[in-house]
Amino acid sequence: MSANGLEVFDRTLETTHIWLNEICNDLGPDKQVAWKVLSTVLHKLRDRLTINLAAHLGAQLPLLVRGVYYDQYDPGHMPSEARSRDEFVAEVADWLKDTRPVDPDEAVRSVFRVLSRHISEGQINKVRDALPKSLRQMWESAEDPTKLAGEPLLLTEEV
């Protein structure tokens, strides 16, 4: 029997808690902060993708997470003009100002890891490949910190 009356709600709550717990493992045991980090990074990522790619990513998100992903969505302003990793991280940091202090670099890496673990590899590859090189490198190093060992992340943008 479903705890909430609908199995789809139970599933999305369970999956969302798994994602939030993974972020908490990286950033500390505060699910409110984890939720803010997840929603912020998803918004910033979504806004850098083409409309079709953003929609394909959204389709693979758990129902509850998909709701926050599309919150404040304005397809008329996509993709964002911001191109660099530094701009991306700065926007995340700005949106996280109203939480306890969180390293925005680690917040972004944590969400990238969660997405890589739970979204199909093909979709992640498409999303990652659509990003500027420095942001792609950040994502790849978040998935496998040894992958880029010894290689500095780009500070200037190469698309």
Side-chain angles (χ1 to χ4, degrees), residues 4-155:
N4 293 301
L6 287 172
E7 220 164 286
V8 68
F9 290 159
D10 293 339
R11 254 192 328 276
T12 194
L13 283 171
E14 180 180 346
T15 303
T16 301
H17 278 291
I18 290 168
W19 288 31
L20 293 176
N21 286 338
E22 290 178 12
I23 294 169
C24 285
N25 287 339
D26 292 338
L27 304 178
D30 186 334
K31 282 197 177 176
Q32 288 182 331
V33 170
W35 179 251
K36 177 74 174 192
V37 164
L38 179 61
S39 62
T40 296
V41 174
L42 284 175
H43 282 177
K44 297 300 154 194
L45 179 61
R46 174 202 69 199
D47 293 345
R48 280 174 175 67
L49 303 174
T50 64
I51 293 170
N52 285 340
L53 193 51
H56 286 289
L57 175 60
Q60 290 199 23
L61 298 173
L63 186 60
L64 188 59
V65 175
R66 190 178 316 150
V68 78
Y69 177 74
Y70 284 113
D71 184 42
Q72 301 176 25
Y73 179 57
D74 184 358
H77 289 93
M78 291 178 64
S80 166
E81 295 298 317
R83 300 297 303 161
S84 76
R85 172 192 173 279
D86 290 340
E87 288 175 296
F88 186 90
V89 172
E91 287 180 17
V92 168
D94 190 48
W95 277 38
L96 295 177
K97 282 181 184 175
D98 62 348
T99 66
R100 70 164 167 75
V102 175
D103 178 345
D105 277 301
E106 190 50 38
V108 171
R109 290 174 192 279
S110 182
V111 173
F112 285 173
R113 279 190 291 274
V114 167
L115 292 173
S116 293
R117 281 192 290 268
H118 298 284
I119 302 297
S120 72
E121 182 179 357
Q123 188 62 54
I124 290 301
N125 289 339
K126 288 176 187 176
V127 168
R128 198 177 43 225
D129 290 347
L131 298 174
K133 186 175 183 180
S134 60
L135 206 47
R136 273 194 316 267
Q137 286 181 320
M138 183 182 195
W139 194 318
E140 290 167 352
S141 69
E143 290 176 5
D144 180 5
T146 63
K147 196 172 201 174
L148 296 175
E151 292 183 33
L153 292 176
L154 296 176
L155 296 179

